[in-house]
Amino acid sequence: MNPGSEPFLVILIKAVIVVFVLVTAFAYTLLWERKLIGRAQGRYGPNRTGVLGYMQPLADVVKLIFKEDFVPRGANRVLFQLAPLISVFAAVAAVAVIPFGTVVTVFGEEVQLVGADLNVGVLFLFALSGIGFYGLILGGWASGNKYSLLGSARTAAQLVSYEVAMGLSVIGVVMISQSLSLVEIVDAQRETVWFILYQPLGFLIFVIAAVAETNRAPFDLPEAESELVAGYHTEYGGLKFAMFFLAEYVNMLIISALAATLFLGGFAGPFADGVWWLAVKIIVLLFLFIWLRATLPRLRYDQLMQFGWKVLLPLATLNLVISAIVIGLAFQN
Amino acid sequence: MKGSSLTIGIVATVATISFIVGLTLALTLAMGAFTFEQLVFSVAAAGAIEFSILVVALPGTFRATVSLIGALLSVAVLFVLLTAPFVAVIQVIVYAGAIVVLFLFVIAYMGERPLAAVADPLVRWQPVAWLVIVVLAAQALVVLLTTDLAVRDELQEGGTVATPGGENPDFGGPEAIGRSFIDDYIVPFEATSLVLLVAAVGAVLLAKRAVQLERGR
């Protein structure tokens, strides 16, 4: 569908709903993570604010809004303010190409349940993740703090090391579906089977690289608190810190949605297709993220680099070559 | 150093805003009507020019590299306006997303060490540089005058484009570009990859020699 074929008002309403859902989902992912990690460590987690602690995110937001807006003396003012904005922009913009369903009719208006069906959707997400990393890198550098700078240097190294493997793991899916559009990738899976069956290794590599790309434990070296205080966001507080936090969790949601869309059929599922299937898949993947964090200790820096370049990249390349040969043979017959 | 960087910033901002206003006005007069696209083009073009100037004008290496990101993103916007979304996205992933990140990584680790002012051995090649600039400008002028931009307007109205491989509705899309890589332009494409390989090997050799000169430091 052409991006310009829907009325402006429809696009606007879609955007407002999606962003509202996304921010709410962020707040409750955070709460859920704190509760689960609490359980995994033999404690309760937040359970006092509201019923069973479910008003905790609201209280946190109010607290963060009323904190002092602080810029350290040695900081580069412009970049320091700009960095969290870059992160949030890239994270939230990425949701535009994730399909939530097919065309539905609301008040006589045909609405496609996707922000924009780009013919380069997969690449668009990779481009935005690349831009989002600049928030971390520039924020760390602009803070004028050694720990922040080390955190951002690590971010840069980690991004370059794992993005290659991630990109290669996706190419298998693109080759099967013959398209870079996420809508068409989901359609291809609705006609056949989920691509995880064709690309199990690809899925595994994608998920591992995804954990590294979102800076989550055990790959959270850019913010390793035992060595770098808090890494790139050491000097950030109040709302600006909240924005980095928002970006990290929205990235987690987006990358789960992307994994679900590419390998697990997206909104397609048994019985009836719909956005609830996507939600279920995202929740399962989010649980995996949190479970990993509760279970695994942080990697050492050299282990991180060795794993990325010597294990993940060769495996991804192997997967790509085998997929290409098999798909080539299948197309010949 | 701080003062000069501030001056450069102010001058650049004023120049950019006047450029945007001027270009939008000129386009509005030339086309007879104002469209949103003209504004986007003006902003992106001004961004590309301003950030490129800042890359060479800013004193700090890190700041110059950050400006480079701005220049690359502006060019990506221009690609989108030219109905080449694939090229735009690849531009962001490869250049802004990977290469400049590597630059920043190296700068962040090495620190912004002021280089000792040595006699630049490239100074005597300056006439050649000017010659190259003139040749490139002439080439750009020829390309600009001979490019059929009407193709783009036709595409936006939902038409197709006749390429060497026949009518192509997916002009600028991933499939069309993939095809032109492996069908129509395979020799230049492979030649480019060979040149890049030679450059990579050359870079490794030169770095090795530099390391040996510094006795492994």
Side-chain angles (χ1 to χ4, degrees):
Chain A
M1 187 181 273
N2 235 327
S5 62
E6 288 179 343
F8 181 68
L9 192 65
V10 173
I11 296 174
L12 194 68
I13 292 172
K14 275 203 295 197
V16 169
I17 292 175
V18 166
V19 170
F20 179 75
V21 171
L22 204 62
V23 173
T24 315
F26 148 66
Y28 283 94
T29 311
L30 183 58
L31 179 70
W32 203 42
E33 163 157 37
R34 288 173 66 184
K35 278 176 170 285
L36 277 172
I37 294 274
R39 291 290 167 183
Q41 295 169 346
R43 52 190 177 83
Y44 287 110
N47 64 352
R48 298 297 171 88
T49 323
V51 183
L52 296 174
Y54 273 90
M55 296 304 274
Q56 185 69 40
L58 215 61
D60 284 342
V61 169
V62 171
K63 182 193 84 171
L64 285 168
I65 287 176
F66 286 107
K67 277 196 162 186
E68 186 190 352
D69 191 28
F70 181 74
V71 180
R73 205 188 326 161
N76 180 325
R77 226 156 229 291
V78 180
L79 283 180
F80 188 79
Q81 311 267 10
L82 196 64
L85 290 176
I86 297 173
S87 278
V88 171
F89 159 76
V92 175
V95 83
V97 291
I98 305 261
F100 298 106
T102 46
V103 181
V104 291
T105 312
V106 188
F107 300 122
E109 195 74 60
E110 287 209 342
V111 180
Q112 198 182 19
L113 290 183
V114 58
D117 177 13
L118 293 187
N119 61 355
V120 288
V122 180
L123 296 175
F124 177 77
L125 284 178
F126 276 92
L128 278 178
S129 103
I131 292 176
F133 267 87
Y134 279 118
L136 276 54
I137 297 171
L138 296 182
W141 180 81
S143 299
N145 176 321
K146 287 193 195 76
Y147 297 115
S148 304
L149 183 64
L150 278 172
S152 60
R154 284 186 179 184
T155 308
Q158 194 166 321
L159 164 72
V160 172
S161 308
Y162 282 81
E163 189 151 85
V164 184
M166 195 171 180
L168 289 180
S169 72
V170 170
I171 294 179
V173 169
V174 173
M175 284 195 296
I176 300 171
S177 64
Q178 300 277 301
S179 172
L180 283 166
S181 150
L182 288 167
V183 174
E184 281 173 33
I185 288 174
V186 172
D187 283 344
Q189 291 178 87
R190 288 164 77 198
E191 283 158 20
T192 56
V193 290
W194 293 0
F195 287 153
I196 187 175
L197 292 177
Y198 292 133
Q199 291 281 321
L201 187 60
F203 179 67
L204 190 69
I205 295 166
F206 183 85
V207 170
I208 294 173
V211 179
E213 288 276 298
T214 44
N215 290 330
R216 299 272 310 172
F219 299 101
D220 58 345
L221 281 105
E223 40 190 310
E225 65 271 7
S226 50
E227 350 165 11
L228 294 183
V229 191
Y232 62 90
H233 60 65
T234 305
E235 296 290 353
Y236 282 90
L239 261 186
K240 288 205 278 283
F241 167 74
M243 283 162 86
F244 271 130
F245 227 61
L246 173 75
E248 181 181 329
Y249 279 81
V250 169
N251 274 331
M252 233 167 98
L253 284 162
I254 297 286
I255 217 134
S256 303
L258 182 62
T261 306
L262 289 174
F263 293 97
L264 304 175
F267 60 85
F271 314 121
D273 293 353
V275 69
W276 47 86
W277 276 114
L278 186 64
V280 168
K281 288 164 191 170
I282 290 176
I283 288 171
V284 170
L285 287 167
L286 284 178
F287 180 74
L288 188 74
F289 270 93
I290 297 168
W291 193 13
L292 279 175
R293 181 178 160 191
T295 313
L296 294 174
R298 185 177 298 129
L299 289 172
R300 229 171 41 221
Y301 192 69
D302 58 320
Q303 290 171 334
L304 175 95
M305 285 296 144
Q306 296 225 341
F307 183 69
W309 290 106
K310 293 188 181 166
V311 180
L312 220 51
L313 189 60
L315 267 183
T317 315
L318 186 73
N319 182 48
L320 178 65
V321 170
I322 293 173
S323 312
I325 292 171
V326 172
I327 293 166
L329 288 176
F331 268 95
Q332 247 177 5
N333 298 336
Chain B
M1 202 157 182
K2 185 127 192 168
S4 74
S5 136
L6 192 68
T7 321
I8 292 172
I10 292 169
V11 170
T13 314
V14 172
T16 315
I17 292 172
S18 24
F19 183 81
I20 292 173
V21 173
L23 191 58
T24 314
L25 277 177
L27 283 172
T28 310
L29 287 177
M31 308 255 178
F34 172 78
T35 61
F36 186 61
E37 194 189 327
Q38 290 168 6
L39 187 68
V40 175
F41 172 75
S42 304
V43 172
I49 295 172
E50 186 208 328
F51 284 120
S52 308
I53 293 173
L54 286 182
V55 171
V56 283
L58 279 179
T61 335
F62 198 95
R63 276 159 224 235
T65 316
V66 173
S67 310
L68 185 58
I69 305 169
L72 293 170
L73 292 182
S74 309
V75 174
V77 173
L78 292 178
F79 280 135
V80 172
L81 289 180
L82 288 168
T83 56
F86 182 77
V87 183
V89 174
I90 291 295
Q91 159 97 355
V92 175
I93 295 178
V94 174
Y95 286 97
I99 292 179
V100 180
V101 170
L102 276 180
F103 289 177
L104 288 181
F105 174 71
V106 171
I107 295 167
Y109 257 134
M110 296 297 182
E112 296 195 32
R113 290 191 288 194
L115 285 173
V118 286
D120 192 344
L122 291 178
V123 165
R124 60 200 171 99
W125 294 103
Q126 220 167 28
V128 182
W130 282 111
L131 189 71
V132 171
I133 290 174
V134 170
V135 170
L136 282 177
Q139 192 189 6
L141 205 66
V142 170
V143 169
L144 206 62
L145 291 176
T146 55
T147 301
D148 184 14
L149 280 175
V151 163
R152 196 195 56 126
D153 298 332
E154 228 169 86
L155 273 167
Q156 285 181 340
E157 284 152 22
T160 57
V161 175
T163 50
E167 288 280 307
N168 190 351
D170 183 42
F171 181 79
E175 203 184 326
I177 289 178
R179 273 193 198 291
S180 53
F181 269 156
I182 55 170
D183 276 357
D184 308 332
Y185 302 104
I186 186 156
V187 176
F189 179 58
E190 290 299 325
T192 315
S193 74
L194 201 66
V195 170
L196 285 174
L197 186 69
V198 170
V201 173
V204 171
L205 281 178
L206 286 176
K208 217 170 180 176
R209 193 159 51 173
V211 169
Q212 277 169 354
L213 281 178
E214 288 186 2
R215 294 201 186 79
R217 263 180 299 144

